[in-house]
Amino acid sequence: MSINYFCHDIHAGLNVRWTTHGWSISPCCFTETKYIDVNNKDWFIKLWPELRKDNLNNKPLDKNLCKSCINDEKVNKQSRRLGEIIKRGEKIDKKILGPKYLEISLDYTCNQACMICGPSLSSLWKKYTTNKIIGNSPISNNKNIEELLKNINLDELDTIQIIGGEPLITEKHTELLLFLEKKLVDLSKIELWYHTNGSSRVGKDVLDLWKKFKLVFLYFSVDDIGKGFEYQRFPGQWDELVDNMIWFKNEVSPNVLLRIERTVSLLNAHRLLELEKWKKENYNSTKFNYEVFLNTHMSHYTILKIENISKKHLDFLKKDKKNYEALLKFHPMHQLIPNKDNNEKVLNFIKNQDKKRNLSINSYFTEFCSFYQ
Ligand code: SF4
């Protein structure tokens, strides 16, 4: 039986980031974005003609562009592609006139400098980077948002995902939603998703605005617990995060569903069971008894990605059978070849960041440095 390589995002997805050069776009969050001139009429319909044609002709997915879904499907994990097929069906039934799924970064203001992130996605990270940084993090304004949306058909839009920076610490997200409402987009047909670091709460105006949506998914970006969390999501404080997560649980309306989104890297691959146990015991359902799901994905764009693991570190992971079995659900670890070429880079990165942040990885992972020396 031939494999169906169909991907809804290639045809009806939009991953959009505001940059110093304007709007940069790709089919989904796992693919590199490219600058697009949104002042062209029908720019959406004209996007990626080769990629769309190949996908409609059921050509295998591009090994580089779509490595995230390819890796997930190798370990029978539900990839983003398969998730959208479950939600929307195995094919498109008519000509796509506009996006169904919009993932958007309006600004990179962030109060955290998470170890797996970087200066292009977090304004605070600029303080800790060794890269030469020119200018401030780009922040889109209402004119930029209007420009982005003026030449696309929004009739089919059913999902909006707002990412940052940290989307809940500025008004940008409400400006976008109120702009869509002004453009007569029916918010009651839309699922609204946020990835938030859980460091801040929202006002009654936002809680009321969320009531107008079909569903709101609030994903708390949490990779670990306690000291592990505080090291990886610096300068996030574990107790403050937990207080805020409980506040949201008590304040949101029934159409707001809560989730935990975990990114697996070299910093937490050995501690997967700790977060799973904490979630089960402390944050397993909402006030309306909807389950709080824990989603997991692998980190891709960081020196701390699992592909840079050393042999010693991999052997250490294999010793903890239960945790290793949990890891195998998220990545084809058996196909991973330890890469000693990056050991020094990984070690120097950790040492540099510890010095700049006045932190130590020994606060929760005493063995780490010995694995890369
Ligand atoms: S990475 Fe997955 S979801 Fe993204 S375009 Fe490729 S197949 Fe589609």
Side-chain angles (χ1 to χ4, degrees), residues 25 131 186 192 201 212 270:
I25 292 172
N131 307 353
D186 182 355
L192 177 61
R201 302 176 186 186
K212 296 180 182 175
H270 66 302

Side-chain angles (χ1 to χ4, degrees), residues 281-343:
E281 291 168 1
N282 301 281
Y283 207 74
N284 211 33
S285 59
T286 70
K287 187 169 84 175
F288 309 100
N289 281 328
Y290 299 130
E291 183 175 354
V292 176
F293 291 102
L294 167 57
N295 284 3
T296 299
H297 68 272
M298 302 303 290
S299 62
H300 291 292
Y301 307 113
T302 162
I303 186 83
L304 299 170
K305 62 185 177 184
I306 204 83
E307 288 85 350
N308 286 342
I309 199 164
S310 71
K311 178 160 185 342
K312 284 186 203 159
H313 192 169
L314 187 55
D315 295 344
F316 169 78
L317 287 179
K318 288 178 179 167
K319 283 199 192 111
D320 180 342
K321 295 242 171 311
K322 277 216 175 110
N323 185 82
Y324 193 67
E325 266 157 38
L327 190 53
L328 282 171
K329 283 187 278 174
F330 306 123
H331 195 76
M333 294 299 291
H334 46 287
Q335 292 173 5
L336 205 53
I337 301 157
N339 181 344
K340 68 178 180 332
D341 301 346
N342 280 326
N343 286 5

Side-chain angles (χ1 to χ4, degrees), residues 215-269:
L215 283 174
V216 177
F217 289 86
L218 214 49
Y219 284 82
F220 295 104
S221 302
V222 184
D223 310 326
D224 205 334
I225 61 170
K227 287 281 172 229
F229 167 81
E230 291 178 359
Y231 181 84
Q232 292 161 49
R233 295 269 168 185
F234 171 87
Q237 295 301 303
W238 176 248
D239 295 344
E240 192 187 291
L241 169 77
V242 174
D243 285 352
N244 288 341
M245 289 171 74
I246 292 166
W247 181 86
F248 277 103
K249 188 171 166 175
N250 295 330
E251 297 301 325
V252 295
S253 45
N255 72 325
V256 179
L257 302 178
L258 306 174
R259 301 279 185 266
I260 294 174
E261 183 73 33
R262 169 172 59 185
T263 308
V264 177
S265 72
L266 297 176
L267 298 182
N268 63 344

